[in-house]
Amino acid sequence: MSKNAVADRIKELREQINFYNYKYYQEDTSLISDREFDLLLAELIRLETAHPEFADPNSPSQRVGGTVSKTFATVKHEYPMLSLGNTYSEGDLFDFDKRVSKGLAGEDYAYYCELKFDGVAISLKYRDGNLVQGITRGDGVQGDDVTANVRTIKTIPLVTRGKVPAKFEVRGEVLLTKQAFAQLNKEKEEAGEELYANARNTASGTLKMQDSAVVAKRNLTCFAYSLLGDDLPPTHAESIEKLRSWGFNVSPAGKKCLSMQAVIDYIHYWGQKRHELDVETDGIVIKVNSHAQQQQLGFTAKSPRWAIAYKYQAEQACTALRDVTYQVGRTGAITPVAELAPVQLSGTTVKRASLHNANEIERLHLHYHDYVFVEKGGEIIPKITGVDIRKRQAGARPVKFIENCPECGTRLIRQEGEAQHYCPNEKGCPPQIKGRIEHFIHRQAMNIDSLGEKTIAQLYEAGLVRSPADLYTLTLADVLPLEGFKQLSAENLINGIAASRAAPFTNVLFALGIRHVGKTVAEKLARHYRNMDNLMAAGKEELMAIHEIGERIADSVTAFFDDPEHRQEVARLKAAGLQFALPEDEGPASGMLNGKTFVISGVFLRHSRDELKELIRKNGGTVVSGISGKLNYLLAGDKMGPAKLAKAKALGTTIISEEDFEAMIQQENDF
Ligand code: IVH
């Protein structure tokens, strides 16, 4: 292919991909199959990789991210990012309307109403139809340049459609959809990590992440709600239509309202309807529609006089507290739970709400049979915000935290300065024992899916299993008498347990259920110590010297291994044949890459990046992060940044593919 032909094809592919992306994300229409789409993208990536001179940061190939920003540059906003005056009262809206009417000296005017999205504001700058910069609100005057992360948001056009002004700016809200947020929390839960409390803070944190490839995986979305620039159409409604036609994601909910009464109707309609949307909204934004009139009304120091936000009260319900029950977690932590008379709240029925700990009960001055207020704002879990004291019966007794474990009767302890009560009977308290085994078999741990909560309870009650190590002593004869088991299901269970012996060391470490050691921490510890003996010998200070391991984790790890019963359990698991070390690693498998340096970039078909790193290391090579004149090889995968590629080319670095690399080390390693 001639250079011109390549350039033409790249252009054509980008246009096609942008078009299909637009149809898919903005209009919900799939015009081609996923496979056909992937083929187009693969062809584009191949051509861009082979011809880095045609690299373009706004190519649709760049959606996957891959840029790591240690810090974000601070950028001054061309138009300050103001906030909005807001109110919870409809009466205030009529006052606002009076001010507008007065400010416009009797002229006719209209409003434009929109949903108020509960996310993070973003400012997007475009030049000649290309996205050039994405900046966070910051303090309103200057914000952070998060362009690399913004480029991964599929509902933000990298290149606009149709004829656009040479220069314009778009404001919008970046959010995580409820679905994306739930998915993220599901992954967190499976990894045994603490859940994110709400979608807004998570979206905000995501936008400031250093690795844009991680941002890309989070599936942020964006709604555009204002257009700024020199040649604006006469009204906001027309701006919104323009944005839509240029390829921006604008909410279909926006509506022109000719009177304050129409605004109020709009507010009432969306008050209910908003719960059906896949994004969080916390109110309505009311804007004067004409841009000339907006200018006439102007701004106060902080906000425009031509707009106001009406905020919905976080939906609240009042219901009877029937009882307080207590849950015992696998770590022995006791969680008080309010058992409520069922009540409808933001589209779901609420029957229970966590009271977290004794301090919370104290804070609420909770009494038995109180009527309590329950709220469920942007948070996923309903919370009790207060008590309706007027409804309290005379002589009602205050809720008193239990003193003994509801499951095993052991006296509870509460460490100095800690909010949580614990049942110290770690070895004998049934939910703690069962909880530890449930954790042990978890998908991210030993992944024994032939076992479930119900079977664990059966095994426990039959006296067959008291700790994870007991699982490996189970025989068919043990299982067959249990209710619901037949030859096949019993064999299946035993085989599933046996197969878990192959689970990697990291999973085993996580499976032990050491407090504060989630999957990520387990991975760090495994990588650092490589085997269980090394880890068990580590002292607190040594542990704390590892990046991101703090005192809390170090204390928990050392306390765990100081316990003779835990050491014995570990020894039994080891004897059962579980993996207690990362795969053998006795120096270089070959010295064929001795002295050679590599940069790994992009996505690979047959190996993960970590596997490639390991292979390079095993064969005597070194992996470095930056491309320099001294670099020997750039190991380039799919979707690597064109800038990196261009730099490597310019420096004359040898660029190799995954296959080239495999061939290089083929003689010594069998794939
Ligand atoms: S217009 C001059 N429209 O609410 C301010 N803002 O308190 C113009 N927001 O920072 C903002 N949805 O992040 C506007 N449809 C919408 C909005 C919206 C959410 C956020 C935005 C802004 C904050 C204002």
Side-chain angles (χ1 to χ4, degrees), residues 28-79:
D28 245 345
T29 355
S30 287
L31 294 178
I32 54 169
S33 70
D34 285 0
R35 188 176 147 65
E36 286 168 304
F37 182 87
D38 288 346
L39 283 175
L40 292 177
L41 191 60
E43 185 187 348
L44 175 62
I45 289 167
R46 206 168 49 244
L47 287 175
E48 286 179 346
T49 312
H51 301 273
E53 65 275 24
F54 298 129
D56 180 344
N58 282 339
S59 164
S61 60
Q62 299 308 299
R63 294 288 199 193
V64 289
T67 312
V68 176
S69 331
K70 285 270 173 269
T71 52
F72 298 106
T74 307
V75 183
K76 193 164 181 299
H77 293 298
E78 196 162 334
Y79 307 87

Side-chain angles (χ1 to χ4, degrees), residues 444-502:
Q444 295 261 4
M446 305 306 285
N447 191 18
I448 310 180
D449 62 6
S450 58
L451 254 177
E453 225 171 276
K454 193 171 149 242
T455 314
I456 290 174
Q458 281 178 294
L459 293 167
Y460 174 81
E461 266 128 46
L464 291 165
V465 173
R466 285 287 174 271
S467 81
D470 294 337
L471 291 174
Y472 296 92
T473 66
L474 286 177
T475 63
L476 270 182
D478 290 331
V479 180
L480 274 170
L482 298 180
E483 199 191 315
F485 278 94
K486 296 218 170 69
Q487 184 71 20
L488 205 64
S489 46
E491 274 174 18
N492 189 25
L493 172 60
I494 302 288
N495 291 343
I497 295 172
S500 74
R501 291 189 165 92

